């Protein structure tokens, strides 16, 4: 019962910004402002779901209200043709660094993302990405998470020779340890990352894409 669910959900902001809900699956609805949130915006969310039926025989068990404040404006563009990342804050370039994206056939997904989360250490196993026994690395460092299917910007000391030269990864974006650590330290969940010049486009709902 999508209409009833949408009526039970409310988002308001100060200053006001136009936005709307989008259904990405039978059980996932996302709210997006028409343009990126303005830095410093205070956002209030009300979920009046207690007792609400979804039309499939399931019912909400609680209401939930929460607020958050939008952080500073940062956007990173990863150009897979130039093999380079450019970080802009408030429209000004604050850092650039060479990268290596996915090799042909395993190209990094193109599209616009909001960072899901980040971790200083991730165990990356190719079997979880449907790539057989290609790799099993227990301690990949400085990981910034872009998709639920396992796309990260991360430290890749094994591909420094290719960074800025050609794309050799299995789909992630690799950077030198120093550049990956800088990006990790200077990136927040929710920051915008745009991947351009890829032959593949990420599916809506794969992360915050």
């Amino acid at each position: 019962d999508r209409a009833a669910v949408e009526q039970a959900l409310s988002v308001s902001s100060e200053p006001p910004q136009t936005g709307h809900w989008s259904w990405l699956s039978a059980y996932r609805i996302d709210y997006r402002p028409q343009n990126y949130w303005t830095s410093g915006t205070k956002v209030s969310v009300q979920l009046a779901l207690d007792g609400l039926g979804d039309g499939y025989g399931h019912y909400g068990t609680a209401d939930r209200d929460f607020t958050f404040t939008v952080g500073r404006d940062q956007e990173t563009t990863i150009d897979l043709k130039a093999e380079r990342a450019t970080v802009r804050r408030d429209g000004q370039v604050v850092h650039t660094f060479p990268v290596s994206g996915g090799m042909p056939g395993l190209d990094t997904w193109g599209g616009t993302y909001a960072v899901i989360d980040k971790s200083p250490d991730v165990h990356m196993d190719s079997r979880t990405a449907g790539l057989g026994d290609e790799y099993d690395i227990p301690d990949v460092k400085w990981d910034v998470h872009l998709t639920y299917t396992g796309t990260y910007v991360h430290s890749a000391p094994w591909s420094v020779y290719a960074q800025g030269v050609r794309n050799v990864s299995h789909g992630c974006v690799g950077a030198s340890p120093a550049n990956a650590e800088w990006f990790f330290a200077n990136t927040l969940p929710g920051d915008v990352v745009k991947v351009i010049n890829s032959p593949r486009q990420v599916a809506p709902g794969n992360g915050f894409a």
Side-chain angles (χ1 to χ4, degrees):
D1 192 347
R2 294 184 175 188
V5 171
E6 287 187 43
Q7 288 175 5
L9 309 178
S10 174
V11 176
S12 59
S13 65
E14 182 59 44
Q17 286 188 241
T18 300
H20 71 94
W21 298 99
S22 295
W23 288 89
L24 300 183
S25 73
Y27 293 104
R28 177 173 170 179
I29 182 171
D30 282 16
Y31 182 89
R32 299 289 173 84
Q34 184 174 8
N35 300 302
Y36 295 143
W37 289 114
T38 301
S39 295
T41 297
K42 292 179 171 55
V43 183
S44 299
V45 183
Q46 295 81 41
L47 311 177
L49 299 175
D50 191 17
L52 182 71
D54 68 352
Y56 292 99
H58 306 114
Y59 293 86
T61 59
D63 296 334
R64 184 181 179 203
D65 297 345
F66 60 92
T67 62
F68 61 90
T69 300
V70 179
R72 78 284 187 274
D73 171 18
Q74 180 167 299
E75 181 175 324
T76 298
T77 300
I78 297 172
D79 187 337
L80 296 178
K81 185 176 181 181
E83 292 98 12
R84 195 157 197 88
T86 302
V87 184
R88 292 179 173 85
R89 192 171 298 162
D90 297 321
Q92 302 298 311
V93 175
V94 294
H95 195 55
T96 67
F97 55 96
V99 297
S100 183
M103 68 183 74
L106 293 174
D107 308 85
T108 304
W109 297 108
T112 301
Y113 303 85
V115 170
I116 300 169
D117 53 34
K118 60 181 185 176
S119 174
D121 198 298
V122 169
H123 180 186
M124 294 192 178
D125 183 345
S126 57
R127 290 169 294 186
T128 66
L131 296 175
D133 296 325
E134 285 289 307
Y135 56 87
D136 186 358
I137 309 171
D139 55 352
V140 178
K141 303 296 186 185
W142 311 124
D143 309 278
V144 176
H145 193 188
L146 300 183
T147 71
Y148 296 143
T149 52
T151 308
Y152 291 82
V153 180
H154 63 74
S155 174
W158 53 84
S159 72
V160 169
Y161 74 95
Q163 292 162 19
V165 179
R166 64 182 184 275
N167 296 313
V168 299
S169 84
H170 291 84
C172 286
V173 176
S176 71
N179 284 319
E181 184 175 5
W182 184 96
F183 188 65
F184 178 91
N186 287 275
T187 296
L188 298 174
D191 280 347
V192 174
V193 176
K194 296 176 70 173
V195 178
I196 64 173
N197 290 323
S198 172
R200 304 198 302 172
Q201 292 299 299
V202 69
N206 187 1
F208 304 136

